[in-house]
Amino acid sequence: MKLTILGSGTSQGIPVIACPCAVCHSEDRHDRRLRSSALLEVGGKRIVIDAGPDFRYQMLRSGVEDVRAILLTHGHKDHVGGLDDVRAFNWVKQGAVDVYGNEGAKEAVYNDFSYAFAECRYPGVPEIRYHLLDGKPFYVDDIRVVPLPVMHYKMPVLGFRVGNFAYITDAKTVSDAGGGVSCSERPSQGKPPVAFQSGGGAGFYRSGKTEAGVADAYRTPDGIRGGGGAGVAGGGGIGIRRSDGGDSGGVKKEGDLFPIIGGMLYICGIFENR
C-alpha cells in the first residue's frame, strides 16, 4: 500500500493570492502547494481522495492514467471542484467513474455538476456514478474501505480507513468507540498509520475554529489510529520550515510518497516535479 499526498495547501492553495505571510512568500518550492488531496495505491489499484480545483494538474503531475474510484470527504469546492476532469478517465474506462461520499457531498456534486446528471446530456460531459455512503464499510473492487465520521466545525465530513491506515482532512473533532472527542483530548503514542491533513484554513500549529492543528493531529483517538500515531501532511500557515529555521516536525512534503508497511508510514524522499 502506498500513499501520495497530492495536495496539502489551504482551500485557496499556497501561496494564497495577495497574502503577505512568510509561507506564501517562501522561496522553498515545497511551500507552493495545491488543494488537499491524496492518492492511495493498493495492489496496483489507485484510489483518489478528493478532487478539488487542482485535480487535473495533480493527476498529470503524478502520472495517474486510471483510477478505480474517487472518495469525497465532503462537498466544499476545494474538495470537489475538479470533478469535471474525470472526463479523461471516462475515455480510459469507456464508462463512468465511481465516486463515493456522504449526503452533503452528493448535494454539492449534483448542484455544481448538474449537467452531468441531466436527462438530456450534452456529448462529452463527465460520467459520474455516485455512491451514497450510509456509514457502513464498502468495497472498491476487493479493497475494503471504512468511512470515518469526523466534524469540520459543525459540518459532518468523512475520513477513510483502508486496512490499518486512515486518511482524515479538514477535521476539528474525531469520533471513536467512546463517542465524539476533540482531537486534543486524547493522547497517542506509536508511529503513524494516519495521514491527517491539518490546518487547511485556520488550524496551523494550534487548533482553529474549524480544524485541528498539528499538535492535535498527533493525538487522534485510538479507534481511528488502530494503535498508531498520526502523520501530518501540511496545512495553512505551515511552511516546510518553521519561523525559527527548524524543520516543521512531522509535516511531510506535498508529492512525497509514503509506502505503508505494517501500519507505519515512511517518507521516501520523492519530491514533486515542478
Side-chain angles (χ1 to χ4, degrees), residues 45-124:
K45 299 173 182 178
R46 291 176 162 179
I47 297 173
V48 173
I49 305 176
D50 286 333
D54 300 315
F55 177 70
R56 173 184 169 274
Y57 179 59
Q58 289 166 334
M59 296 298 95
L60 290 170
R61 186 176 69 178
S62 295
V64 179
E65 297 180 352
D66 190 21
V67 295
R68 309 303 291 185
I70 297 174
L71 313 182
L72 300 179
T73 59
H74 59 296
H76 281 166
K77 186 71 78 176
D78 54 316
H79 295 263
V80 305
L83 280 175
D84 183 82
D85 285 313
V86 303
R87 290 178 293 160
F89 296 127
N90 294 151
W91 182 82
V92 170
K93 301 164 75 71
Q94 290 296 293
V97 170
D98 291 295
V99 176
Y100 296 78
N102 63 14
E103 184 66 49
K106 179 182 179 180
E107 182 178 347
V109 170
Y110 275 63
N111 284 339
D112 293 352
F113 304 98
S114 58
Y115 54 90
F117 304 97
E119 212 172 294
C120 298
R121 295 184 298 160
Y122 191 82

Side-chain angles (χ1 to χ4, degrees), residues 31-195:
D31 285 329
R32 297 188 174 274
R33 307 201 304 277
L34 306 178
R35 264 60 77 97
S36 296
S37 180
L39 173 66
L40 189 62
E41 300 179 64
V42 184
K45 299 173 182 178
R46 291 176 162 179
I47 297 173
V48 173
I49 305 176
D50 286 333
D54 300 315
F55 177 70
R56 173 184 169 274
Y57 179 59
Q58 289 166 334
M59 296 298 95
L60 290 170
R61 186 176 69 178
S62 295
V64 179
E65 297 180 352
D66 190 21
V67 295
R68 309 303 291 185
I70 297 174
L71 313 182
L72 300 179
T73 59
H74 59 296
H76 281 166
K77 186 71 78 176
D78 54 316
H79 295 263
V80 305
L83 280 175
D84 183 82
D85 285 313
V86 303
R87 290 178 293 160
F89 296 127
N90 294 151
W91 182 82
V92 170
K93 301 164 75 71
Q94 290 296 293
V97 170
D98 291 295
V99 176
Y100 296 78
N102 63 14
E103 184 66 49
K106 179 182 179 180
E107 182 178 347
V109 170
Y110 275 63
N111 284 339
D112 293 352
F113 304 98
S114 58
Y115 54 90
F117 304 97
E119 212 172 294
C120 298
R121 295 184 298 160
Y122 191 82
V125 300
E127 296 178 51
I128 297 170
R129 184 184 300 111
Y130 196 93
H131 301 264
L132 180 60
L133 299 178
D134 59 4
K136 298 176 183 177
F138 61 97
Y139 283 85
V140 175
D141 293 341
D142 59 343
I143 303 167
R144 186 173 186 265
V145 183
V146 180
L148 305 173
V150 296
M151 294 299 293
H152 181 19
Y153 187 37
K154 296 181 179 180
M155 180 183 189
V157 304
L158 295 176
F160 296 99
R161 182 167 178 169
V162 176
N164 56 359
F165 164 77
Y167 177 91
I168 298 172
T169 187
D170 289 37
K172 173 62 178 175
T173 55
V174 180
S175 297
D176 65 357
V181 296
S182 168
C183 294
S184 59
E185 291 175 0
R186 293 287 186 93
S188 73
Q189 298 180 7
K191 295 185 178 180
V194 177

Side-chain angles (χ1 to χ4, degrees), residues 10 12-19 21 23-26 31-33:
T10 70
Q12 300 178 71
I14 296 290
V16 175
I17 296 171
C19 179
C21 81
V23 173
C24 286
H25 287 267
S26 168
D31 285 329
R32 297 188 174 274
R33 307 201 304 277

